[in-house]
């Protein structure tokens, strides 16, 4: 039987070797390694992975990302580890964000006082827009 490549030695020679957890198990004829077919589960769209990583780099917490995108905070943590994303340490600033529709966003940008000071980013979030602004921590 030559269905799958062995993950250990890349050989195409394998025999069926039972069923484990509802998945077919194989044994490589070349090296004797046992393996299963690839997991067929729910895969998250790359759009959400990229958005979650962007928000993490911008300083948004795992739980906030979970609430915003509707993906588990544990998934976000796993993506951060998997892709080796490191957010810069923030000591003086923290992000605040607003979710706006297109009309609200246009009205926001029409007011000159809203455009003063740096540290504003707008990103698409489905059919809405997320505006992230950095504010300085208040000194006591």
């Amino acid at each position: 039987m030559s269905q799958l490549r062995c993950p250990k030695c890349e050989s195409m020679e394998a025999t069926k070797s039972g069923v484990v957890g509802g998945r077919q198990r194989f044994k490589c004829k070349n090296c004797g390694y046992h393996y299963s077919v690839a997991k067929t589960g729910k895969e998250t769209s790359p759009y959400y992975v990229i958005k979650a990583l962007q928000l993490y780099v911008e300083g948004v917490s795992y739980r906030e990302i979970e609430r915003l995108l509707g993906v588990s905070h544990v998934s976000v943590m796993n993506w951060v580890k998997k892709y080796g994303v490191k957010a810069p340490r923030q000591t003086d600033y923290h992000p605040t964000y607003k979710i706006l529709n297109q009309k609200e966003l246009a009205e926001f940008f029409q007011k000159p006082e809203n455009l003063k000071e740096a540290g504003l980013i707008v990103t698409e979030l489905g059919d809405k827009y997320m505006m992230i602004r950095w504010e300085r921590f208040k000194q006591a």
Side-chain angles (χ1 to χ4, degrees):
M1 166 172 281
S2 58
Q3 283 187 319
L4 303 170
R5 289 188 182 275
C6 172
K8 195 170 185 180
C9 72
E10 299 287 322
S11 171
M12 295 287 285
E13 298 296 319
T15 59
K16 287 185 177 182
S17 183
V19 177
V20 176
R23 297 187 303 180
Q24 180 65 56
R25 187 173 175 196
F26 296 93
K27 181 179 180 181
C28 177
K29 287 182 178 180
N30 189 34
C31 68
Y33 184 72
H34 285 89
Y35 59 97
S36 296
V37 294
K39 179 180 170 188
T40 57
K42 187 172 97 177
E43 188 173 315
T44 305
S45 166
Y47 171 82
Y48 289 104
V49 176
I50 292 167
K51 281 294 174 194
L53 294 175
Q54 285 175 339
L55 294 172
Y56 174 75
V57 169
E58 297 301 332
V60 180
S61 74
Y62 293 129
R63 298 274 181 175
E64 288 175 295
I65 296 170
E66 177 180 41
R67 286 188 283 274
L68 291 167
L69 298 180
V71 296
S72 166
H73 67 278
V74 176
S75 293
V76 177
M77 285 189 270
N78 290 335
W79 297 333
V80 167
K81 279 189 231 171
K82 179 178 179 180
Y83 296 109
V85 175
K86 291 188 180 4
R89 295 191 78 202
Q90 298 172 353
T91 55
D92 295 336
Y93 295 91
H94 66 95
T96 57
Y97 60 89
K98 290 182 184 177
I99 307 295
L100 307 168
N101 63 31
Q102 187 175 4
K103 182 181 176 192
E104 293 168 333
L105 187 65
E107 289 170 2
F108 179 85
F109 281 116
Q110 287 177 349
K111 298 178 184 170
E113 63 271 13
N114 290 337
L115 303 177
K116 291 182 180 173
E117 299 186 20
L120 179 69
I121 188 170
V122 176
T123 185
E124 176 193 7
L125 201 59
D127 62 340
K128 300 203 184 274
Y129 298 91
M130 177 182 210
M131 183 180 63
I132 303 172
R133 175 178 235 133
W134 288 268
E135 295 178 2
R136 200 177 271 279
F137 282 117
K138 303 224 189 269
Q139 301 293 328

